Amino acid sequence: MCGRTCCNLSKDIYIKASCQYNSAKACYETPQYKHLSNNDMDYAPSINCTPQSITPVLISSEHFKGESDVANTLVPMLWGMIPPWHNGDYSNHGLSTNNCRLENWGLCEHFKGESDVANTLVPMLWGMIPPWHSGDYGNHGLSTNNCRLENITSSKLYSPSLEQGKRCVVMCEGFYEWQTTKKTPKKQPYFVYATQSPGVQVESVTSWNSGEFTKEAGWRGPFLLYLAGVFNKWKHKEGDWIYSYSILTMEANDHFSWLHHRMPAVLSSEREVNEWLNYTAVSTGQALNMVKPVTSLQWHPVDHGVGNSRNKSDKCNVRIDLSKTMEGKSSQLMMSWLGRGSSGKREASSDEQNASKKQKPN
């Protein structure tokens, strides 16, 4: 559900790779980078980022009016939104805020192709029949005339940020996810990232450093992964402002559900990134309705060592061959079994020798 990310690039690469086309200027432009004090916390590249890390985040330059002539600004932010009502140590608010659920929002066409108008009026039974119920529809035994609607737009934690236009885009090379759909003693981790051109090794920093930016062509290199988020400004007791964010998550689609039942809200195009950030022109409702589960994701298995948050090895996001891993485990089990068997024989032989020594001669 997006609990680890990979943000292992320099600020300069993030600035270049997140460029966008400016039609008014007929060229690509990069976001400005704005250093935020954040209680003296700043971004440092890490291949294995956990909540409470400082990572690069895009927001609209409108939040810093008059300071920039480009649309977006890249800022360092704390992963895990600090509740606006919190007092005291910013890291001890007691809530899990690295992700926020995006549920029960949006409209869909329930009768596709049957009408050319937006909405349809239909007669319905008051009291929803449970989808698993069989038998008389009036005897399912549940009170379903009302249901609680708890979502991001009514959340005490997140709705103030939405109302204030504090939408952000979290940038990373990818995130780590553990397969929860198989009941195994040890869940297999995967590195998940944006769909890349053939031959591109997204896990290699060298691939990113080899990319190029020009105003005419934009960024020519691996593709970043853009995740929709919300952020907040929280005032530290010493008067300093700390910017923090949460990543939106949703129910996984068929493309991703084999790995996990939830997935982050991925923005898969430059247009979606712009509309999510442009809170002055795109309303909250329009922005949330735009966010859908995507299929433009790739992944590969990685070593279990990434599960250790202190592990910052360059091997964390490197592809492994699961077939060889399984062969290795099988070989180790066989050798262990043979070793125990061999040991048992030696012990039996020793016992036999002791027994023979105790026997009286004829």
Side-chain angles (χ1 to χ4, degrees), residues 8 16 43 55-56 75 93 95 132 142 150 164 198-199 201 211 213 244 265 271 273 278 296 307-308 319 336 351:
N8 203 30
K16 292 177 180 178
Y43 166 69
T55 73
V75 295
H93 51 73
L95 297 177
W132 60 84
L142 297 177
E150 297 176 350
Q164 297 165 23
Q201 293 183 314
F213 167 79
S244 60
R271 178 189 63 81
V273 170
N278 192 357
S296 54
N308 186 339
R319 181 190 300 269
S336 176
D351 290 341

Side-chain angles (χ1 to χ4, degrees), residues 3-16:
R4 299 283 179 85
T5 61
C6 175
C7 298
N8 203 30
L9 308 176
S10 67
K11 297 173 186 175
D12 185 56
I13 296 296
Y14 284 117
I15 291 171
K16 292 177 180 178

Side-chain angles (χ1 to χ4, degrees), residues 25 60 63 70 136 147 194 223 232 266 297 356:
K25 298 179 181 178
S60 169
H63 293 289
V70 295
D136 184 355
C147 67
F223 301 119
N232 181 42
V266 176
L297 292 174
S356 66

Side-chain angles (χ1 to χ4, degrees), residues 69-89:
D69 60 349
V70 295
N72 301 323
T73 299
L74 183 63
V75 295
M77 280 197 196
L78 178 72
W79 184 8
M81 184 186 289
I82 305 170
W85 62 82
H86 177 64
N87 292 312
D89 185 350

Side-chain angles (χ1 to χ4, degrees), residues 149-198:
L149 179 62
E150 297 176 350
N151 56 41
I152 188 174
T153 58
S154 59
S155 165
K156 179 183 177 182
L157 175 59
Y158 300 117
S159 59
S161 291
L162 284 174
E163 292 168 2
Q164 297 165 23
K166 293 177 180 176
R167 307 195 299 252
C168 65
V169 174
V170 180
M171 299 188 301
C172 57
E173 295 92 286
F175 66 94
Y176 301 98
E177 192 57 86
W178 280 255
Q179 187 174 14
T180 60
T181 54
K182 283 187 177 181
K183 293 184 178 180
T184 55
K186 204 169 185 180
K187 296 179 175 64
Q188 175 61 47
Y190 286 79
F191 184 53
V192 185
Y193 44 92
T195 300
Q196 303 292 325
S197 301

Side-chain angles (χ1 to χ4, degrees), residues 212-272:
E212 296 181 349
F213 167 79
T214 63
K215 288 187 175 182
E216 296 74 27
W219 170 251
R220 290 293 180 266
F223 301 119
L224 288 171
L225 187 64
Y226 297 101
L227 309 178
V230 290
F231 75 95
N232 181 42
K233 282 174 61 180
W234 180 82
K235 197 167 188 178
H236 193 270
K237 61 183 178 181
E238 297 178 358
D240 197 10
W241 288 100
I242 297 179
Y243 284 68
S244 60
Y245 70 88
S246 294
I247 297 172
L248 272 62
T249 65
M250 61 182 69
E251 285 291 327
N253 55 12
D254 292 341
H255 183 66
F256 196 77
S257 59
W258 71 272
L259 178 59
H260 199 282
H261 69 285
R262 296 193 66 79
M263 64 189 299
V266 176
L267 302 172
S268 56
S269 69
E270 185 176 314
R271 178 189 63 81
E272 290 182 356

